[in-house]
Amino acid sequence: MARRLLVAALAVTMTVVAIMTSASAGTLSWRHVPVPAQVRPQSGLNEVVAFGPDRAWAVGADAVGREAPGFPLVLRWDGTAWQRQSLPGVGWQGELLSIAATSPTAVWVVGRDSAGGARLLRFDGSAWKESRPPRGVVLTKAVAGGGETWLIGSRDGAQILLRWDGHAWREVPAPPGSVDGLHILSPDDVWAAGATNSGAAVSHWNGQAWKQTIVDGFPRSAVSSVLAVSPTEVWAGGTEGFVGGPPGRPIPPLLVRWDGQEWNRVTVPTDFGSISSLAPDTSGALAWVSVVRSQKWGPPGSNPPLIPGPDFLARNDQSFTEYSEPAVAGEGDSSVLRLAPVPGAEKVWSVGRADGPEGTFAPRILRFG
């Protein structure tokens, strides 16, 4: 009898725990994470990279005035809070635009000083140091994957791609048009997102040449983020452009998917905005889509006609779950939303900058999970 009672009690306890766990999982949401007090007003973040639950880096600029360029900003997450990192020897003013890493001891950051010159920083696991950027190149983005690190930039107005060979940056031929995002699987398996005069374009590098496909031929359409899951599943996100129309008319988001045979447009639950980032889950499948300035058509006859749309879309099987960023006192919506998954965990970071009062802005850090 005592044993049966014990078994029954354990069963009840496990049921309660399961219900609580299910309820907790169902209430997961995006949460605001404060920036350190050392970060000065008028700051913003551009990108983030994570190595695990207790280690991540975010970059941007702080103390940006209406006519002042601001200062390079690096933050580090230690598992409990974000801390500002010192940059010994970095005395220039400007902004850090992008961060990428193949490991915690090989982190690259692309920046630009107040004179428009390219800046390149490297973290070797113990300290940040400046590295000489390739001569005559304006850098915009660093991308890592498959043990590779590449840079996106331009030289004399022409697109340029650079690959780190372990000792120096080597130029790689660029596909036609512009390149705004890369997904690197290996040296001979790279996907590029961008645009041409014919519309949004995705290109694939096989180690010898690029094969480019116009994924949306609408004028002024472009994709800036690409995620390759497998040879028969590749995603790209950006915006579909308008030609003409009333001034200030918002632009629809653009999400397309390669199924191994052709590119198809994927419907998302928002009518306007820009898809700024795609993030995978722990298996590499598409898990998150961020949409900047997301808006939907309101009910017929509503005034104004547009209502806020979802800021984040969680991909689950064949559908999306909508999420909004949390409200932050004294701040508005984010104007930049860049995602970074946490390896080995069902968590994801988003960094950017939020609207402030009277044309100001503030750094924004959000976390899901």
Side-chain angles (χ1 to χ4, degrees), residues 22 28 40 74 91-92 99 111 135 149 153 159 167 174 211 235 241 245 247 272 283 289 295 336 339-340:
S22 177
L28 287 176
R40 293 167 287 194
V74 175
W92 46 271
I99 183 169
R135 186 179 299 275
T149 302
Q159 183 77 69
H167 304 283
K211 180 181 179 180
W235 298 81
F272 304 102
S283 70
V289 178
Q295 293 179 299
V336 177
L339 301 169

PDB file of all heavy atoms in Angstrom, residues 22 28 40 74 91-92 99 111 135 149 153 159 167 174 211 235 241 245 247 272 283 289 295 336 339-340:
ATOM      1  N   SER A  22       5.403  22.824 -19.623  1.00  0.00           N
ATOM      2  CA  SER A  22       4.668  23.158 -20.841  1.00  0.00           C
ATOM      3  C   SER A  22       4.184  24.590 -20.806  1.00  0.00           C
ATOM      4  O   SER A  22       4.291  25.326 -21.790  1.00  0.00           O
ATOM      5  CB  SER A  22       3.488  22.198 -21.010  1.00  0.00           C
ATOM      6  OG  SER A  22       2.723  22.543 -22.144  1.00  0.00           O
ATOM      7  N   LEU A  28       7.338  31.708 -23.401  1.00  0.00           N
ATOM      8  CA  LEU A  28       8.621  32.289 -23.764  1.00  0.00           C
ATOM      9  C   LEU A  28       8.407  33.517 -24.633  1.00  0.00           C
ATOM     10  O   LEU A  28       7.527  33.542 -25.498  1.00  0.00           O
ATOM     11  CB  LEU A  28       9.476  31.274 -24.515  1.00  0.00           C
ATOM     12  CG  LEU A  28      10.083  30.136 -23.686  1.00  0.00           C
ATOM     13  CD1 LEU A  28      10.810  29.158 -24.582  1.00  0.00           C
ATOM     14  CD2 LEU A  28      11.029  30.680 -22.626  1.00  0.00           C
ATOM     15  N   ARG A  40      27.597  55.310 -23.186  1.00  0.00           N
ATOM     16  CA  ARG A  40      27.086  56.678 -23.129  1.00  0.00           C
ATOM     17  C   ARG A  40      25.842  56.845 -23.999  1.00  0.00           C
ATOM     18  O   ARG A  40      25.541  55.988 -24.827  1.00  0.00           O
ATOM     19  CB  ARG A  40      28.201  57.635 -23.573  1.00  0.00           C
ATOM     20  CG  ARG A  40      29.373  57.669 -22.593  1.00  0.00           C
ATOM     21  CD  ARG A  40      30.594  58.347 -23.174  1.00  0.00           C
ATOM     22  NE  ARG A  40      31.247  57.508 -24.185  1.00  0.00           N
ATOM     23  CZ  ARG A  40      32.473  57.742 -24.651  1.00  0.00           C
ATOM     24  NH1 ARG A  40      33.154  58.781 -24.204  1.00  0.00           N
ATOM     25  NH2 ARG A  40      33.004  56.955 -25.554  1.00  0.00           N
ATOM     26  N   VAL A  74      32.503  47.975 -28.068  1.00  0.00           N
ATOM     27  CA  VAL A  74      32.521  46.516 -27.986  1.00  0.00           C
ATOM     28  C   VAL A  74      31.962  46.113 -26.632  1.00  0.00           C
ATOM     29  O   VAL A  74      32.424  46.590 -25.590  1.00  0.00           O
ATOM     30  CB  VAL A  74      33.943  45.940 -28.150  1.00  0.00           C
ATOM     31  CG1 VAL A  74      33.928  44.425 -27.932  1.00  0.00           C
ATOM     32  CG2 VAL A  74      34.509  46.256 -29.526  1.00  0.00           C
ATOM     33  N   GLY A  91      42.442  54.722 -30.872  1.00  0.00           N
ATOM     34  CA  GLY A  91      42.160  56.105 -30.511  1.00  0.00           C
ATOM     35  C   GLY A  91      41.311  56.850 -31.517  1.00  0.00           C
ATOM     36  O   GLY A  91      41.023  58.035 -31.331  1.00  0.00           O
ATOM     37  N   TRP A  92      40.896  56.194 -32.589  1.00  0.00           N
ATOM     38  CA  TRP A  92      40.133  56.877 -33.623  1.00  0.00           C
ATOM     39  C   TRP A  92      38.644  56.896 -33.284  1.00  0.00           C
ATOM     40  O   TRP A  92      38.137  56.079 -32.520  1.00  0.00           O
ATOM     41  CB  TRP A  92      40.349  56.203 -34.973  1.00  0.00           C
ATOM     42  CG  TRP A  92      40.248  54.705 -34.970  1.00  0.00           C
ATOM     43  CD1 TRP A  92      41.262  53.805 -34.740  1.00  0.00           C
ATOM     44  CD2 TRP A  92      39.071  53.922 -35.200  1.00  0.00           C
ATOM     45  NE1 TRP A  92      40.799  52.527 -34.820  1.00  0.00           N
ATOM     46  CE2 TRP A  92      39.447  52.560 -35.104  1.00  0.00           C
ATOM     47  CE3 TRP A  92      37.754  54.223 -35.493  1.00  0.00           C
ATOM     48  CZ2 TRP A  92      38.560  51.511 -35.272  1.00  0.00           C
ATOM     49  CZ3 TRP A  92      36.847  53.185 -35.665  1.00  0.00           C
ATOM     50  CH2 TRP A  92      37.249  51.854 -35.554  1.00  0.00           C
ATOM     51  N   ILE A  99      30.767  41.919 -36.957  1.00  0.00           N
ATOM     52  CA  ILE A  99      31.639  41.015 -36.208  1.00  0.00           C
ATOM     53  C   ILE A  99      31.401  39.587 -36.676  1.00  0.00           C
ATOM     54  O   ILE A  99      30.271  39.201 -36.975  1.00  0.00           O
ATOM     55  CB  ILE A  99      31.395  41.143 -34.687  1.00  0.00           C
ATOM     56  CG1 ILE A  99      32.358  40.247 -33.905  1.00  0.00           C
ATOM     57  CG2 ILE A  99      29.941  40.846 -34.325  1.00  0.00           C
ATOM     58  CD1 ILE A  99      32.364  40.526 -32.402  1.00  0.00           C
ATOM     59  N   GLY A 111      35.228  47.899 -39.152  1.00  0.00           N
ATOM     60  CA  GLY A 111      34.780  49.228 -38.740  1.00  0.00           C
ATOM     61  C   GLY A 111      35.127  50.289 -39.757  1.00  0.00           C
ATOM     62  O   GLY A 111      35.723  50.008 -40.805  1.00  0.00           O
ATOM     63  N   ARG A 135      44.691  47.361 -48.660  1.00  0.00           N
ATOM     64  CA  ARG A 135      44.841  48.727 -49.144  1.00  0.00           C
ATOM     65  C   ARG A 135      43.723  49.091 -50.146  1.00  0.00           C
ATOM     66  O   ARG A 135      43.388  48.331 -51.039  1.00  0.00           O
ATOM     67  CB  ARG A 135      46.196  48.889 -49.834  1.00  0.00           C
ATOM     68  CG  ARG A 135      46.519  50.328 -50.255  1.00  0.00           C
ATOM     69  CD  ARG A 135      47.887  50.386 -50.902  1.00  0.00           C
ATOM     70  NE  ARG A 135      48.922  49.958 -49.985  1.00  0.00           N
ATOM     71  CZ  ARG A 135      49.502  50.764 -49.089  1.00  0.00           C
ATOM     72  NH1 ARG A 135      49.111  52.036 -49.008  1.00  0.00           N
ATOM     73  NH2 ARG A 135      50.456  50.299 -48.300  1.00  0.00           N
ATOM     74  N   THR A 149      36.682  32.774 -42.862  1.00  0.00           N
ATOM     75  CA  THR A 149      36.297  34.155 -42.589  1.00  0.00           C
ATOM     76  C   THR A 149      36.468  34.954 -43.877  1.00  0.00           C
ATOM     77  O   THR A 149      37.529  34.934 -44.494  1.00  0.00           O
ATOM     78  CB  THR A 149      37.165  34.794 -41.489  1.00  0.00           C
ATOM     79  OG1 THR A 149      37.058  34.010 -40.291  1.00  0.00           O
ATOM     80  CG2 THR A 149      36.693  36.217 -41.191  1.00  0.00           C
ATOM     81  N   GLY A 153      33.257  44.194 -49.098  1.00  0.00           N
ATOM     82  CA  GLY A 153      33.620  45.603 -49.192  1.00  0.00           C
ATOM     83  C   GLY A 153      33.599  46.070 -50.635  1.00  0.00           C
ATOM     84  O   GLY A 153      32.982  45.457 -51.514  1.00  0.00           O
ATOM     85  N   GLN A 159      32.392  46.125 -56.194  1.00  0.00           N
ATOM     86  CA  GLN A 159      32.269  45.109 -55.152  1.00  0.00           C
ATOM     87  C   GLN A 159      33.540  44.274 -55.046  1.00  0.00           C
ATOM     88  O   GLN A 159      34.166  43.923 -56.047  1.00  0.00           O
ATOM     89  CB  GLN A 159      31.103  44.183 -55.475  1.00  0.00           C
ATOM     90  CG  GLN A 159      30.822  43.125 -54.421  1.00  0.00           C
ATOM     91  CD  GLN A 159      30.103  43.685 -53.222  1.00  0.00           C
ATOM     92  OE1 GLN A 159      28.951  44.052 -53.310  1.00  0.00           O
ATOM     93  NE2 GLN A 159      30.797  43.755 -52.090  1.00  0.00           N
ATOM     94  N   HIS A 167      46.936  33.620 -43.165  1.00  0.00           N
ATOM     95  CA  HIS A 167      48.098  34.517 -43.108  1.00  0.00           C
ATOM     96  C   HIS A 167      47.800  35.891 -43.708  1.00  0.00           C
ATOM     97  O   HIS A 167      48.354  36.888 -43.270  1.00  0.00           O
ATOM     98  CB  HIS A 167      49.288  33.881 -43.852  1.00  0.00           C
ATOM     99  CG  HIS A 167      49.667  32.525 -43.343  1.00  0.00           C
ATOM    100  ND1 HIS A 167      50.378  32.341 -42.180  1.00  0.00           N
ATOM    101  CD2 HIS A 167      49.412  31.286 -43.847  1.00  0.00           C
ATOM    102  CE1 HIS A 167      50.557  31.043 -41.983  1.00  0.00           C
ATOM    103  NE2 HIS A 167      49.988  30.380 -42.983  1.00  0.00           N
ATOM    104  N   ALA A 174      33.924  38.447 -57.292  1.00  0.00           N
ATOM    105  CA  ALA A 174      32.588  38.745 -56.786  1.00  0.00           C
ATOM    106  C   ALA A 174      31.547  38.511 -57.873  1.00  0.00           C
ATOM    107  O   ALA A 174      31.826  38.698 -59.063  1.00  0.00           O
ATOM    108  CB  ALA A 174      32.523  40.189 -56.303  1.00  0.00           C
ATOM    109  N   LYS A 211      27.421  31.035 -59.678  1.00  0.00           N
ATOM    110  CA  LYS A 211      26.205  30.841 -60.451  1.00  0.00           C
ATOM    111  C   LYS A 211      25.128  31.706 -59.813  1.00  0.00           C
ATOM    112  O   LYS A 211      24.754  31.492 -58.659  1.00  0.00           O
ATOM    113  CB  LYS A 211      25.768  29.379 -60.454  1.00  0.00           C
ATOM    114  CG  LYS A 211      24.495  29.142 -61.263  1.00  0.00           C
ATOM    115  CD  LYS A 211      24.070  27.681 -61.226  1.00  0.00           C
ATOM    116  CE  LYS A 211      22.791  27.474 -62.025  1.00  0.00           C
ATOM    117  NZ  LYS A 211      22.349  26.057 -62.008  1.00  0.00           N
ATOM    118  N   TRP A 235      17.434  29.751 -47.889  1.00  0.00           N
ATOM    119  CA  TRP A 235      16.529  30.872 -47.654  1.00  0.00           C
ATOM    120  C   TRP A 235      17.259  32.187 -47.890  1.00  0.00           C
ATOM    121  O   TRP A 235      18.464  32.295 -47.641  1.00  0.00           O
ATOM    122  CB  TRP A 235      16.017  30.856 -46.224  1.00  0.00           C
ATOM    123  CG  TRP A 235      15.211  29.651 -45.843  1.00  0.00           C
ATOM    124  CD1 TRP A 235      15.702  28.433 -45.476  1.00  0.00           C
ATOM    125  CD2 TRP A 235      13.785  29.546 -45.789  1.00  0.00           C
ATOM    126  NE1 TRP A 235      14.664  27.572 -45.195  1.00  0.00           N
ATOM    127  CE2 TRP A 235      13.475  28.231 -45.368  1.00  0.00           C
ATOM    128  CE3 TRP A 235      12.746  30.447 -46.044  1.00  0.00           C
ATOM    129  CZ2 TRP A 235      12.171  27.786 -45.200  1.00  0.00           C
ATOM    130  CZ3 TRP A 235      11.442  29.998 -45.879  1.00  0.00           C
ATOM    131  CH2 TRP A 235      11.155  28.696 -45.464  1.00  0.00           C
ATOM    132  N   GLY A 241      11.038  46.008 -53.788  1.00  0.00           N
ATOM    133  CA  GLY A 241      10.985  47.444 -54.031  1.00  0.00           C
ATOM    134  C   GLY A 241       9.739  47.897 -54.756  1.00  0.00           C
ATOM    135  O   GLY A 241       9.111  47.141 -55.481  1.00  0.00           O
ATOM    136  N   GLY A 245       4.157  55.314 -56.949  1.00  0.00           N
ATOM    137  CA  GLY A 245       3.315  55.233 -55.770  1.00  0.00           C
ATOM    138  C   GLY A 245       3.434  56.487 -54.931  1.00  0.00           C
ATOM    139  O   GLY A 245       4.268  57.357 -55.188  1.00  0.00           O
ATOM    140  N   PRO A 247       4.353  59.162 -51.985  1.00  0.00           N
ATOM    141  CA  PRO A 247       5.571  59.344 -51.196  1.00  0.00           C
ATOM    142  C   PRO A 247       5.444  58.659 -49.840  1.00  0.00           C
ATOM    143  O   PRO A 247       4.387  58.678 -49.212  1.00  0.00           O
ATOM    144  CB  PRO A 247       5.664  60.868 -51.045  1.00  0.00           C
ATOM    145  CG  PRO A 247       4.861  61.414 -52.174  1.00  0.00           C
ATOM    146  CD  PRO A 247       3.755  60.429 -52.401  1.00  0.00           C
ATOM    147  N   PHE A 272       4.400  44.856 -44.638  1.00  0.00           N
ATOM    148  CA  PHE A 272       5.452  45.822 -44.965  1.00  0.00           C
ATOM    149  C   PHE A 272       6.609  45.670 -43.990  1.00  0.00           C
ATOM    150  O   PHE A 272       6.453  45.177 -42.877  1.00  0.00           O
ATOM    151  CB  PHE A 272       4.907  47.249 -44.937  1.00  0.00           C
ATOM    152  CG  PHE A 272       3.723  47.458 -45.837  1.00  0.00           C
ATOM    153  CD1 PHE A 272       2.438  47.501 -45.332  1.00  0.00           C
ATOM    154  CD2 PHE A 272       3.901  47.585 -47.211  1.00  0.00           C
ATOM    155  CE1 PHE A 272       1.344  47.679 -46.157  1.00  0.00           C
ATOM    156  CE2 PHE A 272       2.819  47.759 -48.051  1.00  0.00           C
ATOM    157  CZ  PHE A 272       1.527  47.804 -47.522  1.00  0.00           C
ATOM    158  N   SER A 283      20.045  22.642 -35.263  1.00  0.00           N
ATOM    159  CA  SER A 283      20.235  21.685 -36.358  1.00  0.00           C
ATOM    160  C   SER A 283      20.622  22.362 -37.666  1.00  0.00           C
ATOM    161  O   SER A 283      20.927  21.690 -38.647  1.00  0.00           O
ATOM    162  CB  SER A 283      18.945  20.883 -36.571  1.00  0.00           C
ATOM    163  OG  SER A 283      17.924  21.697 -37.118  1.00  0.00           O
ATOM    164  N   VAL A 289      13.288  34.819 -38.159  1.00  0.00           N
ATOM    165  CA  VAL A 289      13.350  35.876 -39.160  1.00  0.00           C
ATOM    166  C   VAL A 289      13.064  37.190 -38.439  1.00  0.00           C
ATOM    167  O   VAL A 289      12.085  37.282 -37.685  1.00  0.00           O
ATOM    168  CB  VAL A 289      12.294  35.670 -40.266  1.00  0.00           C
ATOM    169  CG1 VAL A 289      12.338  36.808 -41.278  1.00  0.00           C
ATOM    170  CG2 VAL A 289      12.490  34.320 -40.956  1.00  0.00           C
ATOM    171  N   GLN A 295       4.876  46.330 -40.505  1.00  0.00           N
ATOM    172  CA  GLN A 295       3.528  46.888 -40.457  1.00  0.00           C
ATOM    173  C   GLN A 295       2.553  45.981 -41.198  1.00  0.00           C
ATOM    174  O   GLN A 295       2.932  45.266 -42.124  1.00  0.00           O
ATOM    175  CB  GLN A 295       3.484  48.279 -41.092  1.00  0.00           C
ATOM    176  CG  GLN A 295       4.248  49.349 -40.333  1.00  0.00           C
ATOM    177  CD  GLN A 295       4.169  50.688 -41.029  1.00  0.00           C
ATOM    178  OE1 GLN A 295       4.616  50.832 -42.172  1.00  0.00           O
ATOM    179  NE2 GLN A 295       3.605  51.682 -40.366  1.00  0.00           N
ATOM    180  N   VAL A 336      17.093  48.669 -36.163  1.00  0.00           N
ATOM    181  CA  VAL A 336      18.020  47.628 -36.590  1.00  0.00           C
ATOM    182  C   VAL A 336      17.730  46.394 -35.746  1.00  0.00           C
ATOM    183  O   VAL A 336      17.603  46.493 -34.520  1.00  0.00           O
ATOM    184  CB  VAL A 336      19.497  48.048 -36.401  1.00  0.00           C
ATOM    185  CG1 VAL A 336      20.434  46.909 -36.790  1.00  0.00           C
ATOM    186  CG2 VAL A 336      19.828  49.289 -37.214  1.00  0.00           C
ATOM    187  N   LEU A 339      20.244  39.208 -35.747  1.00  0.00           N
ATOM    188  CA  LEU A 339      20.123  37.995 -34.951  1.00  0.00           C
ATOM    189  C   LEU A 339      21.423  37.219 -34.868  1.00  0.00           C
ATOM    190  O   LEU A 339      22.234  37.237 -35.800  1.00  0.00           O
ATOM    191  CB  LEU A 339      19.047  37.089 -35.558  1.00  0.00           C
ATOM    192  CG  LEU A 339      17.638  37.664 -35.673  1.00  0.00           C
ATOM    193  CD1 LEU A 339      16.772  36.748 -36.528  1.00  0.00           C
ATOM    194  CD2 LEU A 339      17.025  37.857 -34.300  1.00  0.00           C
ATOM    195  N   ALA A 340      21.591  36.500 -33.757  1.00  0.00           N
ATOM    196  CA  ALA A 340      22.713  35.572 -33.600  1.00  0.00           C
ATOM    197  C   ALA A 340      22.265  34.437 -32.696  1.00  0.00           C
ATOM    198  O   ALA A 340      21.928  34.667 -31.530  1.00  0.00           O
ATOM    199  CB  ALA A 340      23.927  36.272 -32.998  1.00  0.00           C
TER     200      ALA A 340
END
